[in-house]
Amino acid sequence: MRIRYLLAASLVVAIVLTLRWEWLEPHHFEDEVMRAALAEEVRRDDTRCPLSSKAVEQARPWVLAACAAGGLGWHEAAAKYGDDAARVFLVYGEDADFVEVFDRLGHPWCR
């Protein structure tokens, strides 16, 4: 009889711990893979975005993608303009004319 209670209690504890782990880990596997790939891109020797490891860990994924694609100016723009910079990158980040102007002038011209 005691073994039955012990097994039932162990099962309940295992279920509670599993559910708690699932609820505490909101990140999806794809997001983690994307973040790791972006971090690897930023850490290359020939990168246009030389960020420290701490900055890479704290940066949002769009900032890493923008910085890897367009240089350190995007990281600075993200720090200054926040979500507005994200919207600009998502709309114009692939536009060749915008990229050329942004490379030449950076984000201070956006005042």
Side-chain angles (χ1 to χ4, degrees):
M1 193 72 150
R2 285 184 170 178
I3 293 177
R4 195 179 296 173
Y5 288 125
L6 183 61
L7 288 175
S10 299
L11 180 62
V12 168
V13 168
I15 290 172
V16 168
L17 289 176
T18 301
L19 290 175
R20 182 171 182 256
W21 180 71
E22 285 291 322
W23 290 329
L24 290 178
E25 291 292 324
H27 302 291
H28 298 300
F29 179 73
E30 293 85 11
D31 294 339
E32 292 298 320
V33 169
M34 179 184 66
R35 178 175 267 294
L38 290 169
E40 185 66 29
E41 179 74 21
V42 169
R43 289 185 179 124
R44 287 189 348 209
D45 289 337
D46 61 343
T47 186
R48 296 181 65 193
C49 185
L51 294 176
S52 69
S53 295
K54 184 177 180 180
V56 169
E57 290 172 9
Q58 293 175 347
R60 294 170 51 189
W62 82 264
V63 175
L64 293 177
C67 194
L72 199 54
W74 280 107
H75 186 266
E76 295 167 354
K80 185 170 184 177
Y81 303 109
D83 289 338
D84 289 338
R87 286 190 279 278
V88 170
F89 175 72
L90 292 174
V91 173
Y92 299 108
E94 297 292 320
D95 184 272
D97 293 332
F98 182 85
V99 169
E100 188 260 322
V101 170
F102 192 83
D103 283 346
R104 193 165 21 100
L105 301 175
H107 72 85
W109 64 274
C110 298
R111 293 179 193 168

